[in-house]
Amino acid sequence: MRDSNADLFDPRTIMDSDCATAGLGPGPVSDSDFAFAFNDSNFSDRVLRIEIIPDLPETKSDCDGCTSIADWARNRKRRREDIKKDSAVDVLVHCEEQILTCSMPDTEDGEGYVNQDEEAVAMIEESPSGVGNHLNKRGDEAAPANDGLWSMDCSAVLRVKTIHISSPILAAKSPFFYKLFSNGMRESEQRQVTLRIHASEEAALMDLLNFMYSNTLSATTSPALLDVLMAADKFEVASCMRYCSRLLRSMPMSCESALLYLDLPSSVLMADAVQPLTDAAKQFLAARYKDITKFQDEVLNLPLAGVEAVLSSDDLQVPSEDAVYDFVLKWARTHYPKLEDRREVLGLRLGRLIRFPYMTCRKLRKVLTCNDFDPELTSKVVLEALFFKAEPPYRQRSLAADEASTRYHRFVERAYKYRPVKVVEFELPRQQCVVYLDLKREECSLLFPTGRVYSQAFHLGGQGFFLSAHCNMDQQSSFHCFGLFLGMQEKGSVTFAVDYEFAARSKPTEEYVSKYKGNYTFTGGKAVGYRNLFSIPWTAFMADDSLYFIDGVVHLRAELTIRQ
């Protein structure tokens, strides 16, 4: 039962129920189905006069002739370009702002969105003589027609539609109409209200008005629904925006449609009702380009919003975060050739998506000298990354958990193809490095029966090395077991003599226990190691009571020393 003290026409009390009555949540649709009253003088207290004026020069209806999302996007893009390049249109737009016609937002920043804190705009009341009194944003009469602006064809009316409306119904669904009918000024008491729209907006506005009575739409295609969505945003009908968003999400998604949803005007994108649609678009792109190395050329051609959706994913399959950094630089240099623009987009947008704490120290040193980033930013992110690397594992997990519900996941590890390692390097008394590799139980289980997982590269004496964990047969081929190997990245015919030792944490002490020692003279591409590191079968290694899994993680260590 609704609170008897609630204002029936206050959108804040009505809008919460709109989702349910529009079929988007619990509640019977028939509770607010007023389709019978639409355009019926018997159930109406006002007349809405819709003046339809020509579209902007060299443009046409967004939905007219559109059979696909691609058509809708091309038409919308052409309209934006024509607005920018046609000086006559600039005067036309200025003229429209004076008389406050209700054209739907068609710019990136969503200009024209009505602020709920201001009095209703875009209202033209007809005088008894039939000449419209054009109102400005404050509700005052606009400047006289002899100022030179009114000579433009912007005021030419192609046709007029008259609709009988119920102000309570429209006010209940839309803060725009609520303010229009209750601003306390003379025009709010007039029986006839006039709106002026472009021809391209006619079908969408009529469908929107019908929705406010019936909670249904006649639009069934993506282009038509997008037009209605834009109209619903213009007139602040959140329930219709939710309805359009739900219908669009139920349709097959493509890269083209996903990118278009992310490129809607900012006023639409910021609406809570559209968030599920944009989230679905981001998820589609992230899943489509999950293996970014496989589709690198395609991703390089994506616009900024598309690249952000892909790089925001925790499931992005890349060799390492170093590869993400290299890709971001390549994309930014391709799309933003000017250094000033490139620094801005990297600092405010893309730089936030690079997870610097998971980059190698070798790469972080290069970040400090990269001219594409602002020097203050690089110092900050590199310092933050080094502090994170120095944190104990429990603290790193805590930082990652804290970011789970935030937009940017700086401390969350991705699904890297090459597992991150921690490296401690020594120069004296001998060149030496200690490498730590942690593998989760789930990762190890995926190795059976013949799988392998590689670590990210690390360096000693200027030469690149890596670790690889295997599930393989023991030397007698009698059972599967866990093996660990050390390999050198291929670089010509260079030879490298190294002493190495493998160790692993073991219960009950949970200290590192040496498992294998050896020495080897590497040549490019060679690897050395031990096929059965723990001298037990694979089943015993993976058992619930295994000595080597501590809180679900096996901790491995490799010490490398250059031989004199």
Side-chain angles (χ1 to χ4, degrees), residues 199-213:
S200 61
E201 303 160 353
E202 179 182 356
L205 177 58
M206 295 305 297
D207 216 357
L208 174 65
L209 291 172
N210 183 68
F211 175 89
M212 296 169 77
Y213 281 80

Side-chain angles (χ1 to χ4, degrees), residues 356-499:
F356 291 96
Y358 288 97
M359 291 175 60
T360 63
C361 291
R362 187 183 183 90
K363 200 70 170 183
L364 289 174
R365 283 194 286 267
K366 294 184 179 180
V367 173
L368 286 173
T369 59
C370 180
N371 190 47
D372 297 85
F373 286 88
D374 182 87
E376 290 187 10
L377 176 63
T378 56
S379 297
K380 177 184 176 181
V381 297
V382 170
L383 190 62
E384 181 181 67
L386 294 177
F387 273 118
F388 179 82
K389 290 178 180 292
E391 295 282 7
Y394 78 90
R395 176 60 181 160
Q396 292 180 347
R397 290 192 294 270
S398 175
L399 289 171
D402 291 343
E403 285 193 331
S405 60
T406 62
R407 181 179 179 184
Y408 302 109
H409 295 175
R410 295 168 300 167
F411 304 125
V412 178
E413 187 178 329
R414 301 187 201 263
Y416 300 116
K417 294 180 180 179
Y418 302 141
R419 305 302 303 141
V421 292
K422 291 183 178 181
V423 183
V424 180
E425 299 181 34
F426 300 93
E427 291 292 331
L428 296 173
R430 290 190 296 171
Q431 283 188 303
Q432 182 183 34
C433 69
V434 182
V435 184
Y436 297 90
L437 172 65
D438 295 342
L439 297 176
K440 299 176 183 177
R441 180 183 289 272
E442 297 79 19
E443 293 173 315
C444 292
S445 65
L446 294 175
L447 298 179
F448 187 85
T450 58
R452 61 186 63 185
V453 60
Y454 295 94
S455 78
Q456 295 178 5
F458 54 92
H459 292 78
L460 176 65
Q463 182 61 49
F465 291 87
F466 62 90
L467 294 174
S468 62
H470 297 220
C471 175
N472 42 220
M473 302 296 289
D474 73 326
Q475 291 181 338
Q476 285 74 37
S477 298
S478 56
F479 55 81
H480 289 89
C481 53
F482 180 89
L484 185 64
F485 295 84
L486 171 67
M488 187 176 80
Q489 291 181 318
E490 188 160 359
K491 264 192 178 180
S493 58
V494 64
T495 58
F496 219 75
V498 174
D499 293 326

Side-chain angles (χ1 to χ4, degrees), residues 183-246:
N183 62 13
M185 301 183 65
R186 176 183 60 82
E187 59 271 7
S188 67
E189 300 173 0
Q190 297 289 329
R191 185 173 185 274
Q192 181 167 284
V193 180
T194 302
L195 298 179
R196 179 170 290 183
I197 63 172
H198 284 113
S200 61
E201 303 160 353
E202 179 182 356
L205 177 58
M206 295 305 297
D207 216 357
L208 174 65
L209 291 172
N210 183 68
F211 175 89
M212 296 169 77
Y213 281 80
S214 65
N215 298 302
T216 60
L217 291 173
S218 62
T220 56
T221 65
S222 297
L225 285 171
L226 283 168
D227 280 343
V228 177
L229 177 64
M230 302 281 277
D233 172 63
K234 175 68 181 180
F235 293 102
E236 304 177 66
V237 188
S239 58
C240 187
M241 294 182 74
R242 284 192 290 269
Y243 190 84
C244 291
S245 175
R246 181 173 69 87

Side-chain angles (χ1 to χ4, degrees), residues 171-187:
K173 291 296 184 83
S174 163
F176 173 90
F177 285 105
Y178 177 80
K179 291 181 181 292
L180 184 65
F181 298 140
S182 63
N183 62 13
M185 301 183 65
R186 176 183 60 82
E187 59 271 7

Side-chain angles (χ1 to χ4, degrees), residues 48-56 79 96 99-105 122-124 153-161 163 176-177 194-209 231 234-235:
L48 180 63
R49 187 173 184 273
I50 304 174
E51 295 183 350
I52 301 163
I53 63 175
D55 284 322
L56 297 178
R79 289 188 65 185
E96 290 167 358
I99 64 174
L100 292 166
T101 60
C102 287
S103 58
M104 282 176 271
M123 184 181 70
I124 308 173
D153 289 336
C154 62
S155 58
V157 177
L158 293 177
R159 56 187 176 277
V160 175
K161 279 195 173 184
I163 306 293
F176 173 90
F177 285 105
T194 302
L195 298 179
R196 179 170 290 183
I197 63 172
H198 284 113
S200 61
E201 303 160 353
E202 179 182 356
L205 177 58
M206 295 305 297
D207 216 357
L208 174 65
L209 291 172
K234 175 68 181 180
F235 293 102

